[in-house]
Amino acid sequence: MSEHTDCCFCAANMDEQAKYEQIAQVIDTYKEKEGSLIMVLHSAQQIYGYLPLELQKFIADRMGLPLSEVYGVVSFYSFFSMTERGRHTIRICLGTACYVRGGKKLVDALEEKLQVKVGGVTADKKFTLEVARCIGACGLAPAIMVDNDVYKTMSPATLDSMLNQY
Ligand code: FES
């Protein structure tokens, strides 16, 4: 059974073994270079979608590094994820300005629309739903960020047009 997905270089299109083989190639290309661990982890996350512990072990072994070093880097930087993620990340701001102007209603509406709780991934793996403290758009609260795009003065009624961009 094959499944159509809407991205071209997509983890969902490759089986587990193919993903590991591709990551092995990346490691072999970069492992002798100084400071290559972060580059390898970035590529591995792009290929695999996230960085579970098993994959970190594989990377550590192949790079000749202790697992603790790999784990330390993955857990230090917020752009690395150890849990599965959607192709797009929605961050609803719940900083003070957004909270008092209805941020919580946006959380409830999006949880309902996407059928996922904050911290989760939608069934089609399209979105990860998260909350944030402040995304720098307090003057036009409440705000939501999807990947690198900021949506301002949002309301439950404007969520569909935002989601339709993706
Ligand atoms: S509090 Fe939401 S953008 Fe600052």
Side-chain angles (χ1 to χ4, degrees):
M1 186 177 75
S2 71
E3 189 185 329
H4 175 75
T5 54
D6 60 2
C7 59
C8 48
F9 175 66
C10 185
N13 289 330
M14 280 192 270
D15 68 19
E16 188 88 357
Q17 196 187 341
K19 289 177 199 171
Y20 269 80
E21 279 168 13
Q22 198 174 350
I23 293 165
Q25 279 176 16
V26 172
I27 293 169
D28 294 346
T29 304
Y30 292 109
K31 73 176 171 189
E32 303 303 333
K33 302 197 174 124
E34 201 171 322
S36 59
L37 178 57
I38 288 188
M39 205 158 29
V40 166
L41 290 171
H42 264 298
S43 298
Q45 183 162 276
Q46 263 189 320
I47 293 164
Y48 199 84
Y50 65 113
L51 298 168
L53 200 55
E54 275 166 41
L55 178 55
Q56 292 178 47
K57 274 188 201 146
F58 175 79
I59 292 168
D61 287 348
R62 197 152 180 123
M63 292 189 78
L65 297 171
L67 175 60
S68 58
E69 187 174 334
V70 175
Y71 181 85
V73 171
V74 171
S75 52
F76 182 79
Y77 292 104
S78 61
F79 46 78
F80 292 131
S81 176
M82 289 191 240
T83 53
E84 192 168 18
R85 299 192 65 84
R87 295 194 294 283
H88 302 285
T89 301
I90 300 174
R91 293 193 177 91
I92 307 159
C93 183
L94 286 184
T96 307
C98 290
Y99 188 86
V100 298
R101 291 194 207 161
K104 181 69 175 71
K105 280 192 193 134
L106 297 176
V107 172
D108 295 342
L110 274 171
E111 283 187 338
E112 172 73 25
K113 254 180 213 306
L114 299 174
Q115 289 294 294
V116 69
K117 292 282 175 200
V118 166
V121 179
T122 55
D124 61 3
K125 310 253 193 291
K126 194 167 182 183
F127 296 110
T128 293
L129 187 62
E130 295 181 341
V131 293
R133 298 246 165 149
C134 177
I135 55 177
C138 313
L140 291 165
I144 295 178
M145 207 165 172
V146 184
D147 301 333
N148 295 319
D149 304 325
V150 178
Y151 295 86
K152 299 163 185 165
T153 56
M154 293 298 289
S155 75
T158 55
L159 291 175
D160 281 338
S161 67
M162 177 192 82
L163 293 173
N164 288 339
Q165 312 285 317
Y166 301 90

